[in-house]
Amino acid sequence: MANASVNNEKDNLTSVLYGVRDLRLEQRPIPIPGHNEVLLKIQRVGICGSDVHYLVHGAIGHYIVKEPMVIGHEASGIVVKLGEGVKSLKVGDRVAIEPGVSCRMCQFCKLGSYNLCPDMKFCATPPVDGNLTRYYVHAADFCYKLPDHISLEEGALLEPLSVGVHACKRGGVKVGSTVLILGAGPIGLVTLVTAKAMGATKIYITDLTEFRLNVAKEMGAYKAIKVNRGDSDEQAIENVRSEMDNEFPDVTIDCSGFQQTIKMGMELTKSGGVLTIVGMGAAGNVQLPLFNALSREVDIRGVFRYANDYQDALALLSTGQINMKPLITHNFKIEESLEAFKTAETGIGNAIKVMIHCN
């Protein structure tokens, strides 16, 4: 698509969140790329649990939707216009979009932990607009060219996959590791395939829903364990312990972030092992058995997004070490955004990853 045709284009249909359960479709002006930026024609956007959380609650922690915000951050697109100074990309390139753009100058950025940058501008995190729109401007150095054999859907899935890569790195997953993953939603499943690619030999995974556990089995889980809704924390822990034949994992990765799963991770991880917490389901205060973890020197590590992980995620995908396609269960057009979000929220039709087509 040439630059001239963009200039004549007027359709920039956009999904805008105005407040709790107030998602609207509206036309917005096509933005102009600045220095080191590219204008992208967005192709695919996956719906993340955080997007649904903003729709349902209007906030995540201290990030509060106070004014209209474009939703969406798991995206792929095609470069249609270059800003001044862009040399790494050309018009027509298909790219995956890393949605967080850091300042590049603070101590965290210089040390490589740019996900901790205090001036991070992250798509669809108030007050920054996301990319569920037909045309979107983004920093060129946070766009990753896709090989020809990688689909645009897979490109959009690089975002959650990078979370899984970062979580496994933080947890120290390696050849021969036994891993327990708590929660078989999209993040749990991408963490599963990543851990397997990194050499984990036994991967246990838990969830409340049977269909997600079945997908986990298909994607290589050693054992998928059903957790019963309504069980006490102690009952749930004992159930999982029994299903694992009292084996203690080297690394536990909690992709749910509720009190029950965090407690489970603390009590089931082997002494000297690592509990990595990815999920933020509780997003508040929880009561935890710290003595159990501290007395056994279980390291507890947090995960916040990712840093320097997109390249590794793309390498895993492009070399065929992992297959993300089973995650995509539903597809919608951008005009059907409300229905797409309803599907993602309710899980109707055994939804795992809902993908919106913007082109």
Side-chain angles (χ1 to χ4, degrees):
M1 186 174 187
N3 291 354
S5 62
V6 177
N7 296 333
N8 296 327
E9 180 64 68
K10 295 181 180 179
D11 180 8
N12 190 28
L13 192 62
T14 304
S15 291
V16 185
L17 182 64
Y18 276 76
V20 174
R21 296 200 179 279
D22 187 4
L23 184 66
R24 309 178 195 177
L25 284 170
E26 62 186 39
Q27 289 289 346
R28 289 203 165 188
I30 294 176
I32 299 171
H35 182 76
N36 193 42
E37 292 182 333
V38 290
L39 176 64
L40 301 167
K41 188 169 187 181
I42 298 296
Q43 300 296 298
R44 306 288 187 269
V45 179
I47 297 179
C48 175
S50 65
D51 296 321
V52 174
H53 203 279
Y54 280 122
L55 174 66
V56 175
H57 302 285
I60 297 178
H62 64 272
Y63 295 113
I64 302 170
V65 179
K66 297 179 180 179
E67 55 187 40
M69 177 185 77
V70 180
I71 202 74
H73 63 270
E74 300 179 0
S76 64
I78 298 174
V79 177
V80 293
K81 194 170 187 177
L82 306 178
E84 182 183 355
V86 176
K87 297 179 180 179
S88 57
L89 296 168
K90 64 181 185 302
V91 171
D93 281 346
R94 301 155 64 253
V95 300
I97 303 164
E98 183 172 352
V101 178
S102 60
C103 77
R104 307 175 182 85
M105 294 183 291
C106 69
Q107 60 173 323
F108 298 106
C109 288
K110 289 181 177 179
L111 289 172
S113 299
Y114 60 84
N115 56 322
L116 304 179
C117 173
D119 293 321
M120 172 70 76
K121 292 178 174 58
F122 197 92
C123 288
T125 298
V128 181
D129 281 333
N131 48 33
L132 185 44
T133 179
R134 294 207 199 278
Y135 288 96
Y136 171 76
V137 160
H138 201 66
D141 54 321
F142 284 93
C143 294
Y144 298 83
K145 186 176 178 179
L146 296 173
D148 292 341
H149 67 285
I150 299 298
S151 70
L152 290 160
E153 288 81 8
E154 291 171 299
L157 288 177
L158 277 184
E159 199 280 337
L161 179 57
S162 294
V163 176
V165 170
H166 194 61
C168 287
K169 288 180 181 178
R170 289 279 290 159
V173 176
K174 59 186 179 182
V175 174
S177 292
T178 295
V179 177
L180 170 62
I181 298 172
L182 303 171
I187 296 300
L189 292 171
V190 297
T191 301
L192 164 63
V193 294
T194 302
K196 194 171 181 64
M198 288 185 172
T201 51
K202 280 187 181 179
I203 304 172
Y204 297 92
I205 191 166
T206 69
D207 203 83
L208 295 167
T209 56
E210 201 69 51
F211 81 88
R212 286 181 170 180
L213 293 173
N214 289 334
V215 174
K217 292 175 188 175
E218 293 173 9
M219 300 183 80
Y222 175 75
K223 193 169 188 179
I225 303 169
K226 178 81 159 55
V227 176
N228 300 312
R229 196 180 301 273
D231 277 358
S232 67
D233 294 350
E234 291 70 25
Q235 287 175 318
I237 290 168
E238 188 53 41
N239 170 47
V240 174
R241 192 195 310 274
S242 176
E243 289 289 333
M244 294 176 65
D245 296 323
N246 292 313
E247 181 172 17
F248 290 86
D250 304 295
V251 180
T252 298
I253 302 176
D254 179 12
C255 297
S256 299
F258 292 99
Q259 176 173 295
Q260 185 176 98
T261 56
I262 299 172
K263 287 177 70 174
M264 191 178 293
M266 286 182 168
E267 297 203 14
L268 295 182
T269 304
K270 82 172 188 179
S271 297
V274 178
L275 166 61
T276 302
I277 303 174
V278 183
M280 297 184 180
N285 296 326
V286 292
Q287 292 184 326
L288 300 172
L290 281 176
F291 180 78
N292 181 291
L294 301 180
S295 64
R296 297 189 301 109
E297 292 197 351
V298 173
D299 286 352
I300 301 170
R301 301 175 184 174
V303 167
F304 188 58
R305 298 170 180 159
Y306 32 73
N308 302 303
D309 298 303
Y310 253 69
Q311 301 95 326
D312 293 336
L314 182 55
L316 288 172
L317 193 61
S318 61
T319 56
Q321 295 181 67
I322 61 172
N323 178 17
M324 300 284 283
K325 292 177 182 177
L327 295 180
I328 305 170
T329 55
H330 292 72
N331 291 275
F332 293 90
K333 297 178 181 178
I334 190 173
E335 293 88 346
E336 303 168 316
S337 291
L338 290 175
E339 185 181 351
F341 270 84
K342 181 179 179 181
T343 301
E345 178 188 349
T346 62
I348 189 170
N350 290 346
I352 295 179
K353 178 57 65 177
V354 177
M355 191 71 63
I356 296 179
H357 297 231
C358 297
N359 57 324

